[in-house]
């Protein structure tokens, strides 16, 4: 299984986190070595690692790396140092709630550190980050079990962006459902949107599925409608960066269009996401901060090749919000919920 974020202990008993550089896939497999919280903040901000659960796991390891760098001779208290580490990691990407969820979970451990020396706290923080990662893999497998039951014995699924092993601790959310269906003996074909402008579908989803031998056809983002009209799609399954209390879903730009298309063609539209992606503190999707990214992602292909004229204006939001009314169900590790069922819930009620 692809392992995008790895905790490594060096022979000198130092901790490192090796992050698979997703900017280079599928052409090269290289790891960025993170030795402190600054390295991890760069890895998240520059999209060496991406995908909501993987961002959360990376941020958790970033907190642990930050603790490792604490210097008691600096005159700054451990608590103040860790506040600064958390602020830095929290400033990297705004949309995926998993980032903030993971930083808060780590804070729970270090905030009452009185009486514990910082090096044993560092050990506990690395163990906690690894637990978050291991839990994520288990949740993805559970989500897979719940989600695959929704698919017929033979199905063609359309997916958008990358919600696979690369975007999580492993196995994936949307791709986890597809993998679980294949493992259950179902005959599954996938159409993968290329996902302009960052091409997570072409570079990452196609890579994962081809590696797994799951029949996959790559399409550009505008092709879904014609496939649906020709009755070639049985279900759409995507991941999520944040689900709000009313069942609205922020996910990769282009997701909303797919949901509307699916509704127009009577095709089920599923979102697969762990409970940690549900932000019960936010009433609706209109409050979700949407990251806007560099115009260069649209005006250029790769680092150097310009494909648009100099001087053109560019709008590049990385995510959109799909209203809950367009979502058939949200597949979680705790079961499958309609958005209106989510509205009756709180984190404690599950
Ligand atoms: O900008 P990215 O690549 O981080 O966006 C990723 C997505 O939108 C995914 O669909 C989402 O994070 C779910 S990943 C399981």
């Amino acid at each position: 299984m692809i392992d995008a974020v790895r905790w490594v202990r060096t022979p000198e008993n130092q901790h490192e986190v090796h992050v698979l550089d997703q900017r280079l896939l599928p052409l090269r497999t290289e790891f960025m070595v993170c030795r402190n919280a600054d390295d991890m903040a760069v890895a998240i901000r520059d999209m060496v690692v991406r995908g909501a659960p993987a961002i959360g796991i990376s941020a958790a390891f970033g907190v642990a790396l930050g603790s490792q760098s604490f210097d008691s001779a600096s005159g700054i208290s451990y608590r103040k140092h860790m506040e600064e580490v958390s602020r830095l990691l929290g400033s990297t990407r705004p949309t995926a709630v998993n980032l903030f969820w993971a930083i808060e979970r780590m804070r729970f451990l270090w905030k009452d550190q009185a009486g514990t020396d910082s090096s044993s706290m560092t050990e506990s923080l690395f163990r906690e980050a690894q637990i978050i990662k291991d839990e994520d893999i288990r949740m993805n497998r559970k989500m897979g079990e719940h989600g695959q039951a929704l698919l017929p014995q033979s199905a063609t699924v359309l997916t958008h962006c990358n919600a696979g092993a690369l975007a999580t601790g492993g196995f994936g959310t949307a791709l986890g459902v597809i993998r679980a269906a294949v493992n259950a003996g179902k005959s599954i074909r996938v159409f993968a949107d290329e996902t302009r402008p960052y091409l997570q579908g072409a570079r990452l989803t196609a890579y994962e599925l081809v590696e797994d031998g799951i029949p996959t056809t790559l399409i550009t983002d505008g092709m879904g409608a014609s496939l649906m009209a020709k009755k070639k799609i049985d279900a759409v399954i995507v991941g999520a960066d944040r689900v709000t209390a009313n069942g609205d879903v922020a996910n990769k730009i282009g997701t909303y269009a797919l949901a509307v298309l699916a509704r127009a063609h009577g095709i089920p539209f599923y979102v697969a996401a762990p409970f940690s992606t549900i932000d019960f503190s936010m009433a609706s999707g209109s409050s979700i901060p949407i990251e806007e990214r560099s115009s260069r992602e649209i005006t250029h292909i790769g680092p150097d090749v310009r494909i648009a004229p100099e001087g053109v204006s560019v709008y590049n939001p990385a995510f959109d919000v799909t209203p809950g009314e367009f979502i058939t169900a949200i597949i979680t590790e705790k079961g499958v919920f309609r958005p209106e069922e989510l509205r009756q819930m709180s984190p404690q009620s599950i």
Side-chain angles (χ1 to χ4, degrees):
M1 189 167 71
I2 295 164
D3 190 6
V5 184
R6 299 175 187 175
W7 169 26
V8 172
R9 201 185 282 270
T10 68
E12 298 77 36
N13 213 20
Q14 284 293 297
H15 301 281
E16 294 176 349
V17 181
H18 295 190
V19 181
L20 178 59
D21 193 338
Q22 300 190 28
R23 299 169 304 180
L24 307 177
L25 290 172
L27 304 179
R28 296 207 312 270
T29 303
E30 288 177 22
F31 287 82
M32 173 178 168
V33 177
C34 295
R35 297 191 173 88
N36 52 50
D38 295 272
D39 291 346
M40 189 57 91
V42 169
I44 298 171
R45 187 174 289 123
D46 291 356
M47 293 180 66
V48 175
V49 59
R50 31 63 52 202
I55 289 173
I57 291 162
S58 302
F61 278 117
V63 170
L65 287 168
S67 175
Q68 174 173 256
S69 313
F70 174 64
D71 177 6
S72 53
S74 67
I76 298 169
S77 70
Y78 180 75
R79 205 184 164 91
K80 213 165 161 94
H81 169 79
M82 293 304 285
E83 284 298 351
E84 182 48 33
V85 163
S86 303
R87 196 207 50 75
L88 170 73
L89 291 161
S91 69
T92 49
R93 295 193 72 191
T95 305
V97 73
N98 311 59
L99 176 82
F100 309 100
W101 172 89
I103 291 170
E104 278 316 299
R105 177 156 157 179
M106 298 300 276
R107 183 193 302 279
F108 213 73
L109 226 65
W110 62 256
K111 73 173 196 279
D112 297 320
Q113 90 297 358
T116 318
D117 69 275
S118 72
S119 59
S120 46
M121 181 50 67
T122 298
E123 293 295 324
S124 307
L125 288 169
F126 273 101
R127 279 197 299 273
E128 183 71 3
Q130 185 62 40
I131 289 170
I132 291 176
K133 176 178 168 181
D134 294 342
E135 280 175 2
D136 187 64
I137 299 171
R138 276 201 301 279
M139 289 189 298
N140 289 340
R141 291 196 179 274
K142 266 270 165 246
M143 235 178 277
E145 276 172 38
H146 294 309
Q148 73 83 16
L150 301 168
L151 297 176
Q153 186 57 34
S154 172
T156 302
V157 174
L158 175 58
T159 190
H160 189 68
C161 195
N162 172 265
L166 289 164
T168 61
F171 200 62
T173 56
L175 295 196
V177 171
I178 290 167
R179 288 190 164 109
V182 171
N183 293 346
K186 294 187 177 177
S187 166
I188 306 293
R189 302 190 68 82
V190 180
F191 279 98
D193 271 353
E194 69 169 347
T195 319
R196 277 282 289 159
Y198 208 73
L199 305 180
Q200 288 93 333
R203 296 189 302 104
L204 307 176
T205 295
Y207 166 77
E208 284 198 32
L209 294 176
V210 166
E211 285 280 303
D212 275 10
I214 297 173
T216 302
T217 304
L218 182 62
I219 56 172
T220 66
D221 295 357
M223 294 177 183
S226 100
L227 284 170
M228 289 183 192
K230 290 179 184 147
K231 305 212 178 306
K232 301 262 194 229
I233 307 291
D234 299 302
V236 180
I237 311 180
V238 297
D241 286 84
R242 193 183 300 230
V243 180
T244 51
N246 69 341
D248 293 349
V249 170
N251 191 50
K252 183 52 55 193
I253 190 77
T255 302
Y256 180 21
L258 273 185
V260 174
L261 282 174
R263 171 61 53 85
H265 291 87
I267 295 166
F269 184 90
Y270 298 118
V271 172
F275 248 72
S276 52
T277 304
I278 306 177
D279 184 353
F280 283 100
S281 74
M282 205 170 262
S284 82
S286 58
S287 310
I288 299 174
I290 300 293
E291 176 182 8
E292 280 198 36
R293 296 186 55 83
S294 155
S295 59
R296 222 182 146 83
E297 288 182 357
I298 294 186
T299 56
H300 288 67
I301 291 278
D304 303 322
V305 182
R306 175 175 273 282
I307 54 165
E310 301 260 9
V312 72
S313 305
V314 169
Y315 174 51
N316 187 15
F319 303 96
D320 58 26
V321 176
T322 301
E325 64 187 283
F326 290 101
I327 295 163
T328 310
I330 299 172
I331 302 162
T332 76
E333 73 278 16
K334 299 182 184 189
V336 177
F337 303 97
R338 292 192 311 278
E340 53 272 28
E341 289 176 302
L342 212 64
R343 278 175 216 142
Q344 332 282 314
M345 284 176 192
S346 67
Q348 294 78 27
S349 67
I350 303 295

